[in-house]
Amino acid sequence: PLSFADGRVVFGVEDMSRFEYRDNNFDFNSSTRTINDDEWFLNRARISLQLKPIDWLTLYVQGQDSREIDSNRADIPGLLGAEGDNPFDLRQAYLEVGTDQGLSLKAGRQVLLYGDQRLIGPLDWTALSRTFDAAKVRWSSKDGLWVDAFASSVVVPDRNGFDESDWDAVFSGIYAHIPTLSIQDTEFYALHLDDTNRDDHFITLGTHIKSKAGTLSRWDYEAEFAVQAGTAGGRDLTAFASYIEGGYTWQQEWKPRLGLEYSYGSGDGDATDGDEGAFQNLYPTNHLHYGLMDIFSWSN
């Protein structure tokens, strides 16, 4: 109903509301209360416009208003775990040139989402969510092969002004999706974080494999492996992480599935030796894999 001119002009409206009650979810100690032992109401409203004047050109803009209502903590995004207030601001605004096949360019404020979001995702469960100011070049083919090269900086919410990215922190990389087998999708990536504010300068190399739905009858599998090297917080970084999962789905009407998974992220045993062993989780959507409280990550 909000699409016009054969889909060349599309308006979008979205609203998300959520009530939260939290008690002892950080210290697990009933005798001690913190500012987060409270209840509050979260609301997020978005409005968007997409223009596609010709097949190879897309213009998109999206605004967002996010509020944390009736909490005891300060409504400052990120302070003491608060999602906070971020009055109407620009969430996305990009230009995309190209088609589904061949070479394309997407430049501007946008969402970055790769794999199962263990390292790169929009964190859309939160009211604020996450976007990047980025330039992304993609080459793709009709058989499902595509390769992205991007340079970006994460957008930082500012409740008193315009949300901006800080290009003292640059996140860049190459991410490839390769349909190597008829039963599986394979992805390879090389990511680089250069953040002078935190003295982080390291690379992440990894691969992600996942079975295609229905190709193994009732069985499915997934795995991801990543290694990191460089410096994190000014300390020499050597870290790794892994994830393996397998499952079986019965064909009854309600389709029960039995699955087994193992997740590991390396940790650091000595904070004083000048070395860092903890895997750096980058920009993930952790709650998809580690719970909606968002207090765990792919690290130790």
Side-chain angles (χ1 to χ4, degrees):
L2 299 179
S3 177
F4 305 93
D6 294 326
R8 297 193 182 277
V9 179
V10 181
F11 294 93
V13 179
E14 174 188 322
D15 188 84
M16 182 187 79
S17 298
R18 183 169 82 249
F19 175 78
E20 286 192 359
Y21 170 79
R22 299 198 176 209
D23 185 38
N24 296 326
N25 71 281
F26 286 110
D27 57 19
F28 305 105
N29 185 351
S30 298
S31 64
T32 303
R33 291 189 60 82
T34 72
I35 198 69
N36 290 298
D37 293 332
D38 190 15
E39 62 276 342
W40 51 78
F41 185 77
L42 297 167
N43 181 260
R44 180 182 75 197
R46 292 174 179 170
I47 185 170
S48 64
L49 171 63
Q50 177 180 288
L51 301 175
K52 198 174 182 68
I54 49 181
D55 290 341
W56 52 266
L57 177 62
T58 301
L59 302 165
Y60 184 81
V61 61
Q62 182 184 59
Q64 174 177 283
D65 183 274
S66 178
R67 309 279 175 161
E68 181 177 306
I69 303 166
D70 197 33
S71 63
N72 290 327
R73 59 192 183 184
D75 294 331
I76 301 175
L79 182 63
L80 298 175
E83 296 193 39
D85 292 341
N86 191 25
F88 192 80
D89 214 314
L90 183 66
R91 181 173 185 264
Q92 294 192 77
Y94 62 78
L95 176 149
E96 188 170 13
V97 180
T99 61
D100 293 338
Q101 296 180 26
L103 198 63
S104 63
L105 168 67
K106 188 175 183 180
R109 186 160 295 184
Q110 58 188 277
V111 169
L112 294 180
L113 188 159
Y114 289 102
D116 276 3
Q117 305 181 48
R118 293 183 187 278
L119 293 177
I120 309 172
L123 194 60
D124 215 27
W125 162 260
T126 67
L128 293 172
S129 189
R130 177 192 295 129
T131 56
F132 295 80
D133 287 332
K136 180 175 70 176
V137 176
R138 168 171 288 195
W139 184 87
S140 58
S141 66
K142 63 181 180 180
D143 61 359
L145 170 67
W146 54 261
V147 180
D148 281 3
F150 66 89
S152 70
S153 182
V154 69
V155 177
V156 180
D158 182 354
R159 71 170 182 170
N160 296 318
F162 182 70
D163 294 351
E164 297 184 47
S165 56
D166 181 1
W167 285 92
D168 286 335
V170 177
F171 180 53
S172 58
I174 297 174
Y175 203 106
H177 174 270
I178 306 169
T180 51
L181 302 170
S182 61
I183 63 171
Q184 151 185 319
D185 286 317
T186 304
E187 297 177 324
F188 296 99
Y189 50 83
L191 310 173
H192 182 252
L193 180 62
D194 185 27
D195 187 344
T196 58
N197 300 314
R198 300 179 55 180
D199 203 7
D200 289 344
H201 314 278
F202 61 86
I203 61 172
T204 304
L205 303 177
T207 184
H208 173 227
I209 62 174
K210 190 172 186 177
S211 60
K212 294 181 179 179
T215 57
L216 292 174
S217 183
R218 302 173 187 179
W219 294 93
D220 63 85
Y221 65 87
E222 181 180 1
E224 186 162 1
F225 308 95
V227 296
Q228 293 178 330
T231 59
R235 305 168 67 197
D236 291 336
L237 172 68
T238 303
F240 65 96
S242 60
Y243 174 80
I244 302 173
E245 178 184 1
Y248 181 88
T249 302
W250 282 265
Q251 295 302 301
Q252 280 80 2
E253 184 177 351
W254 50 290
K255 296 187 183 303
R257 177 182 181 272
L258 177 65
L260 178 66
E261 63 180 78
Y262 177 79
S263 183
Y264 180 83
S266 63
D268 188 73
D270 187 347
T272 64
D273 62 0
D275 295 327
E276 177 63 78
F279 188 77
Q280 308 298 299
N281 208 197
L282 295 176
Y283 300 101
T285 304
N286 277 328
H287 70 262
L288 287 176
H289 312 288
Y290 311 113
L292 295 179
M293 291 193 297
D294 285 321
I295 59 174
F296 298 100
S297 66
W298 203 17
S299 187
N300 190 346

